[in-house]
Amino acid sequence: MPEGPEIRRAADQVEKALLKGTVLDVYFAFDQLKGYESILKGASVKKVDTKGKAMLIRFDNGYTIYSHNQLYGKWYVRNAYNYPKNNRQLRLALHNEKKSALLYSASDIEVLRDEEVPLHPFVAKVGPDLLSEEVTAEQLKERFQSKAFSGKKWTSLLLDQSFIGGIGNYLRSEILFLAGIHPDYRPKDCSEEQLERAAEATITMVTQSYKYNGITNDLELAMKLKEEGKTRREYRHWVFNREAQPCRIDGTEIQKMKAGSRRLYFCPTCQTKLK
Ligand SMILES: [Zn+2]
């Protein structure tokens, strides 16, 4: 499943393609959206925002396309009308003179008036998006300590889109490892120092994954492993997908567990309990 950094990268591509000129042609697969084709045709895209795993394509005529890729949605940006060969179903297409932005397989697509966007149930509930908003480590730490979140386990918080938008399963394992926090912990079990590390680790992992194509491992180490001929799966992460392999810090075997019915990976010696 794509996480925030993947959606932000797709949004960058869509934005780059669509800022180039008026949208000349619009296609929606769903009947209830067909009426918007003529409304959006001839308008220009001002900006493409993300809210966690949702994308907001903002037009200059007061309308915004909301889309959420869920498990299967995938964006393609191609030269105009140059459709990729795949078995997916085209759900939304936006064409200008040079480019086409094509959304396949997604079913969660809506067209909203700009003023309706903040009221949309997902947008209204989703937490801060670290790739679209300025969020400091200090603000995140306060969020960790707030009444709404401090008593819940990190493992469920980090997948809760109302906590922080855009974090998913691989980022969850990687953030907890980098912060040195045991997966059974809640923010209120953590020391001040751990909370600070958790805030820094969250920002570092999300932005690094965005900038470096999903690589959350130490960048120098990842480069070195790549040069040695290791596969992407082998060099990409600190702990995720690395069950029974040696921890990159202390050599302990990485363990795999289930948390919230999703896979979680951790190092039992780097992520110990304090008491
Ligand atoms: Zn370790």
Side-chain angles (χ1 to χ4, degrees), residues 177 239 246-254 266-271:
F177 174 78
V239 290
C247 169
R248 301 192 195 278
I249 302 291
D250 65 1
T252 305
E253 263 192 24
I254 301 300
F266 73 106
C267 171
T269 48
C270 290
Q271 294 165 262

Short mmCIF file of all heavy atoms in Angstrom, two decimals, residues 177 239 246-254 266-271, ligand 1:
data_model
loop_
_atom_site.label_atom_id
_atom_site.label_comp_id
_atom_site.label_asym_id
_atom_site.label_seq_id
_atom_site.Cartn_x
_atom_site.Cartn_y
_atom_site.Cartn_z
N PHE A 177 12.06 1.86 15.28
CA PHE A 177 13.46 1.42 15.38
C PHE A 177 14.39 2.61 15.54
O PHE A 177 15.23 2.64 16.45
CB PHE A 177 13.87 0.61 14.13
CG PHE A 177 15.33 0.26 14.14
CD1 PHE A 177 15.80 -0.78 14.93
CD2 PHE A 177 16.24 1.00 13.39
CE1 PHE A 177 17.17 -1.07 14.98
CE2 PHE A 177 17.61 0.71 13.43
CZ PHE A 177 18.07 -0.33 14.23
N VAL A 239 14.80 -2.20 9.46
CA VAL A 239 14.27 -3.46 10.01
C VAL A 239 13.13 -4.07 9.19
O VAL A 239 12.94 -5.29 9.21
CB VAL A 239 13.77 -3.29 11.48
CG1 VAL A 239 14.94 -3.07 12.43
CG2 VAL A 239 12.74 -2.16 11.61
N PRO A 246 20.47 -9.95 10.74
CA PRO A 246 21.12 -9.18 11.80
C PRO A 246 20.78 -7.70 11.76
O PRO A 246 20.75 -7.10 10.68
CB PRO A 246 22.62 -9.41 11.55
CG PRO A 246 22.73 -9.86 10.14
CD PRO A 246 21.44 -10.53 9.79
N CYS A 247 20.51 -7.14 12.94
CA CYS A 247 20.29 -5.70 13.07
C CYS A 247 21.51 -4.97 12.51
O CYS A 247 22.65 -5.38 12.71
CB CYS A 247 20.10 -5.35 14.54
SG CYS A 247 20.11 -3.58 14.88
N ARG A 248 21.27 -3.87 11.80
CA ARG A 248 22.37 -3.13 11.17
C ARG A 248 23.22 -2.38 12.21
O ARG A 248 24.30 -1.92 11.92
CB ARG A 248 21.82 -2.14 10.15
CG ARG A 248 20.99 -2.81 9.03
CD ARG A 248 20.74 -1.82 7.91
NE ARG A 248 19.70 -2.25 6.98
CZ ARG A 248 19.88 -3.10 5.97
NH1 ARG A 248 21.04 -3.67 5.78
NH2 ARG A 248 18.87 -3.40 5.16
N ILE A 249 22.69 -2.25 13.44
CA ILE A 249 23.43 -1.55 14.49
C ILE A 249 24.22 -2.52 15.37
O ILE A 249 25.40 -2.37 15.59
CB ILE A 249 22.47 -0.71 15.38
CG1 ILE A 249 21.68 0.29 14.54
CG2 ILE A 249 23.24 -0.02 16.53
CD1 ILE A 249 22.48 1.43 13.95
N ASP A 250 23.50 -3.54 15.91
CA ASP A 250 24.16 -4.39 16.90
C ASP A 250 24.14 -5.88 16.57
O ASP A 250 24.56 -6.70 17.39
CB ASP A 250 23.55 -4.15 18.29
CG ASP A 250 22.09 -4.56 18.37
OD1 ASP A 250 21.55 -5.05 17.36
OD2 ASP A 250 21.48 -4.39 19.44
N GLY A 251 23.65 -6.25 15.40
CA GLY A 251 23.73 -7.63 14.97
C GLY A 251 22.67 -8.58 15.52
O GLY A 251 22.60 -9.74 15.12
N THR A 252 21.82 -8.11 16.45
CA THR A 252 20.75 -8.95 17.00
C THR A 252 19.77 -9.34 15.88
O THR A 252 19.53 -8.55 14.98
CB THR A 252 19.98 -8.17 18.09
OG1 THR A 252 20.90 -7.72 19.06
CG2 THR A 252 18.93 -9.04 18.76
N GLU A 253 19.20 -10.54 15.99
CA GLU A 253 18.22 -10.97 14.98
C GLU A 253 16.97 -10.09 15.01
O GLU A 253 16.36 -9.92 16.07
CB GLU A 253 17.79 -12.41 15.24
CG GLU A 253 18.56 -13.41 14.42
CD GLU A 253 17.93 -14.80 14.46
OE1 GLU A 253 16.71 -14.93 14.71
OE2 GLU A 253 18.68 -15.75 14.23
N ILE A 254 16.58 -9.58 13.88
CA ILE A 254 15.35 -8.78 13.79
C ILE A 254 14.15 -9.71 13.97
O ILE A 254 14.10 -10.79 13.40
CB ILE A 254 15.26 -8.06 12.42
CG1 ILE A 254 16.46 -7.14 12.19
CG2 ILE A 254 13.94 -7.30 12.27
CD1 ILE A 254 16.63 -6.05 13.21
N PHE A 266 11.13 -5.42 14.50
CA PHE A 266 11.89 -4.63 15.48
C PHE A 266 13.12 -5.37 15.95
O PHE A 266 13.25 -6.58 15.76
CB PHE A 266 10.99 -4.24 16.66
CG PHE A 266 10.65 -5.36 17.59
CD1 PHE A 266 11.25 -5.44 18.85
CD2 PHE A 266 9.74 -6.35 17.23
CE1 PHE A 266 10.94 -6.48 19.73
CE2 PHE A 266 9.43 -7.39 18.10
CZ PHE A 266 10.04 -7.46 19.34
N CYS A 267 14.04 -4.62 16.57
CA CYS A 267 15.25 -5.21 17.14
C CYS A 267 15.08 -5.24 18.66
O CYS A 267 14.97 -4.19 19.29
CB CYS A 267 16.48 -4.38 16.78
SG CYS A 267 17.94 -4.96 17.69
N PRO A 268 15.05 -6.45 19.26
CA PRO A 268 14.76 -6.54 20.69
C PRO A 268 15.84 -5.92 21.59
O PRO A 268 15.56 -5.65 22.76
CB PRO A 268 14.63 -8.04 20.95
CG PRO A 268 15.18 -8.72 19.75
CD PRO A 268 15.17 -7.75 18.61
N THR A 269 17.02 -5.68 21.08
CA THR A 269 18.04 -5.05 21.94
C THR A 269 18.18 -3.56 21.70
O THR A 269 18.51 -2.80 22.61
CB THR A 269 19.41 -5.75 21.79
OG1 THR A 269 19.71 -5.91 20.40
CG2 THR A 269 19.41 -7.12 22.45
N CYS A 270 17.91 -3.08 20.49
CA CYS A 270 17.92 -1.63 20.25
C CYS A 270 16.62 -0.99 20.75
O CYS A 270 16.58 0.20 21.02
CB CYS A 270 18.07 -1.32 18.76
SG CYS A 270 19.70 -1.70 18.09
N GLN A 271 15.56 -1.79 20.84
CA GLN A 271 14.27 -1.25 21.26
C GLN A 271 13.82 -1.92 22.56
O GLN A 271 12.86 -2.69 22.58
CB GLN A 271 13.23 -1.47 20.15
CG GLN A 271 13.53 -0.67 18.88
CD GLN A 271 12.75 -1.14 17.68
OE1 GLN A 271 13.24 -1.90 16.85
NE2 GLN A 271 11.51 -0.68 17.55
ZN ZN B 1 19.66 -3.67 17.11
#
